[in-house]
Amino acid sequence: MPQSGIDQLADAVLRRCGDDPFDLAIVLGSGLGALAAELDQAEEFAYGQFPCFPEGSVAGHAGRLVGGTLQGWRVLLFQGRFHLYQGLSARQAALPATIAHRLGCPRLLLTSAVGGIEPAYRPGDFVYIADHINLLGDNPLRGVDDNPFVDLSALYRQDLFSGLLTRARALGIGLHRGVLAAMPGPSYETPAEIRMLRLLGAQVVSMSMVPEAILAAYLGLEVVGLSLVANAAAGLASQPLNHEEVLAVGRRGAEQLSALARELIRLWQQNPV
Ligand SMILES: O=P(O)(O)O[C@@H]1C[C@H](O)[C@@H](CO)O1
């Protein structure tokens, strides 16, 4: 999956972090950047210094790649992701998956801030992604010549959920499992769209994750999706939706995300495929 400049970034990462393969890549969603501070032996790479990263950033995304260790695993952490509403294709938005694969990561943890469609999901709760509905109007495999017909029937690894739920309950963290609908944004949805998504079987809605997940599956990475409900979706919220509130809920949830990510790593280590 060639993309100009990726070799330059990979060389820099391997030079400073050592050339053993990474165990896990993590993409942090809006407001969820704090996990980066938990990495040991952290080396930081500003996106702006490497031409493979698209220009421009979204508030709440620091625009930094951090390599380090977490619970004994070599982790590559993307503090900032790319969205179609920035004017990018799904392939461009999936860049973290391309980079993770280039650096030898066999696993990808995708996180995001989402709107809750299911009324029982409260802002501050987490959702383990069961499956997705891609309404982005694009697919990262568009234009791929080499066998693009990838099977997505088991895209998001599910067997780690019950262990994570046990830990979440012990910590008093709300954790659900649900289907994510991906909308292109950047406007939030209308109440009619949210009613439609509910009828389609979605419990949460986002503007991201799906491009990275599909490309990662194509490249053979295991994928887990973990989202933070930042707001009740349009028509269900008592106040207008806004990105500042999404970021504020993200910052409040960051500590819980760290606890869940650590437990996920532990479960992943104990349950190799
Ligand atoms: O990067 P994520 O998907 O976490 O960010 C969500 C989707 C939009 O970028 C933004 C809307 O507030 O938050």
Side-chain angles (χ1 to χ4, degrees):
M1 186 91 2
Q3 203 144 352
S4 84
I6 288 191
D7 285 346
Q8 181 193 340
L9 172 69
D11 288 348
V13 172
L14 295 176
R15 206 174 329 112
R16 282 173 48 195
C17 297
D19 53 12
D20 288 339
F22 283 86
D23 299 292
L24 173 69
I26 305 177
V27 181
L28 294 177
S30 286
L32 296 170
L35 185 63
E38 305 215 5
L39 262 55
D40 297 319
Q41 293 143 21
E43 297 284 345
E44 295 185 0
F45 306 85
Y47 289 175
Q49 289 174 359
F50 296 92
C52 60
F53 290 105
E55 282 178 20
S57 64
V58 176
H61 293 264
R64 208 161 32 215
L65 175 62
V66 186
T69 59
L70 189 61
Q71 301 209 154
W73 261 8
R74 273 166 63 76
V75 169
L76 201 56
L77 192 140
F78 294 86
Q79 223 180 354
R81 66 143 51 84
F82 308 99
H83 307 81
L84 271 74
Y85 64 71
Q86 293 171 259
L88 304 172
S89 67
R91 176 88 66 87
Q92 290 171 307
L95 180 62
T98 310
I99 293 171
H101 178 252
R102 172 69 180 76
L103 285 163
C105 281
R107 307 171 192 89
L108 180 63
L109 170 59
L110 296 171
T111 72
S112 69
V114 296
I117 298 174
E118 166 58 51
Y121 295 7
R122 314 301 303 175
D125 287 355
F126 285 82
V127 183
Y128 190 99
I129 302 303
D131 201 349
H132 75 229
I133 301 173
N134 180 8
L135 297 168
L136 295 172
D138 196 2
N139 185 304
L141 303 181
R142 206 158 57 90
V144 167
D145 293 330
D146 185 15
N147 195 17
F149 305 109
V150 59
D151 176 15
L152 299 184
S153 44
L155 171 48
Y156 300 92
R157 194 172 160 175
Q158 293 302 299
D159 60 314
L160 306 182
F161 174 69
S162 62
L164 192 65
L165 183 61
T166 303
R167 181 78 182 132
R169 284 187 175 144
L171 294 170
I173 299 172
L175 177 67
H176 314 277
R177 175 156 52 171
V179 173
L180 171 91
M183 294 288 274
S187 60
Y188 293 105
E189 299 70 35
T190 63
E193 287 167 341
I194 294 300
R195 288 196 296 276
M196 172 192 77
L197 296 178
R198 191 159 190 209
L199 284 175
L200 292 180
Q203 281 81 46
V204 289
V205 58
S206 86
M207 304 175 195
S208 68
M209 273 174 90
V210 163
E212 298 140 334
I214 294 175
L215 191 64
Y218 173 74
L219 296 170
L221 280 71
E222 288 173 47
V223 180
V224 169
L226 187 62
S227 298
L228 172 66
V229 179
N231 54 278
L236 305 169
S238 52
Q239 63 220 48
L241 306 185
N242 69 83
H243 189 56
E244 287 66 40
E245 181 59 16
V246 168
L247 297 184
V249 176
R251 281 191 292 270
R252 289 199 292 274
E255 205 175 308
Q256 297 180 323
L257 176 68
S258 297
L260 293 178
R262 283 180 182 279
E263 178 65 4
L264 260 175
I265 291 177
R266 202 184 64 76
L267 292 165
W268 234 322
Q269 289 167 337
Q270 286 182 350
N271 295 280
V273 284

